[in-house]
Amino acid sequence: MRSDDEAALHAFVEGRRTALFRSAYLLCGDRHEAEDLVQSTLVKVVLGGRRHGRLENIEAYARKTLVNTFIAARRRFWRREQAYGELPDRAGQSPDTDTGLAVRAALARLSAKQRAVLVLRYWEDLSVEATADMLGMRENTVKSHTARGLAALRAEMVEEYV
C-alpha cells in the first residue's frame, strides 16, 4: 500500500470516528457496544484498504461495514458477552433529555434491519436507493422497513407521552 493511501486511511479514521460512533450508538443503543462496533469496523476498513489498495469511496465502505458488522453481531446473539459489574452507589447525571432517551429506547426495540434502515435513512441521510444498495435489499424492502419502523416508533412515543 502506498504511503499516501495509508495517510488517507489514517485521516479518515481520525476524522470520521465520532460520526461512526454516533451511528453505531443509534444502531445498538449502548455506549460500550457502540465503541466495540466502531473499533471492529475501523479495523475492517483499514484491513480492507490494505488488501484492496485504494478504496473508491471509503465513507460508503465504512458505513456499509458498520451496518453489516452490527447485523452480523445481532445474528450471533449467543456469542455476545453478558457483562455484569457492580452497580454504582448512585446514578450519575445524564446529559440526555427524556425525549432522546425515549426515542433511543424505542429504537432499541426494533429489529436490527429496521433499526439499520432508519439510522441510514434519517441519521445518515441516505436515499432509499443508497440504503437499499448498502444493505443489499430491494428498494421496496427498504420502504417497508422504514414504514413499519416509523410506525412502531410513533406508537411507542404516543404511549410514552399520552
Side-chain angles (χ1 to χ4, degrees), residues 7-20 42:
L9 269 175
H10 181 72
F12 173 80
V13 169
E14 290 295 318
R16 296 298 295 162
R17 182 181 193 88
T18 303
L20 287 172
L42 290 176

Side-chain angles (χ1 to χ4, degrees), residues 33-141:
E33 188 178 349
E35 288 172 352
D36 291 344
L37 182 58
V38 169
Q39 187 68 30
S40 298
T41 298
L42 290 176
V43 166
K44 290 177 182 180
V45 167
V46 169
L47 292 176
R50 289 180 180 163
R51 181 176 42 247
H52 301 300
R54 183 161 183 84
L55 296 172
E56 292 300 317
N57 187 346
I58 193 167
E59 178 76 29
Y61 182 78
R63 197 177 303 127
K64 184 171 186 169
T65 302
L66 177 78
V67 171
N68 288 342
T69 302
F70 166 73
I71 291 172
R74 291 294 189 226
R75 286 185 189 132
R76 294 186 298 263
F77 63 92
W78 59 88
R79 292 186 181 175
R80 282 187 278 156
E81 293 180 14
Q82 295 293 326
Y84 299 98
E86 293 182 28
L87 295 175
D89 291 337
R90 61 179 192 215
Q93 292 283 342
S94 176
D96 289 321
T97 64
D98 292 337
T99 303
L101 291 173
V103 169
R104 285 193 293 279
L107 198 58
R109 287 189 280 278
L110 296 177
S111 72
K113 286 189 179 182
Q114 282 180 343
R115 199 173 328 153
V117 166
L118 290 179
V119 168
L120 290 173
R121 291 278 292 123
Y122 297 104
W123 179 258
E124 294 287 337
D125 200 27
L126 294 182
S127 66
V128 171
E129 298 81 21
T131 302
D133 184 51
M134 181 168 291
L135 295 175
M137 297 177 175
R138 293 186 356 230
E139 289 180 22
N140 288 340
T141 305

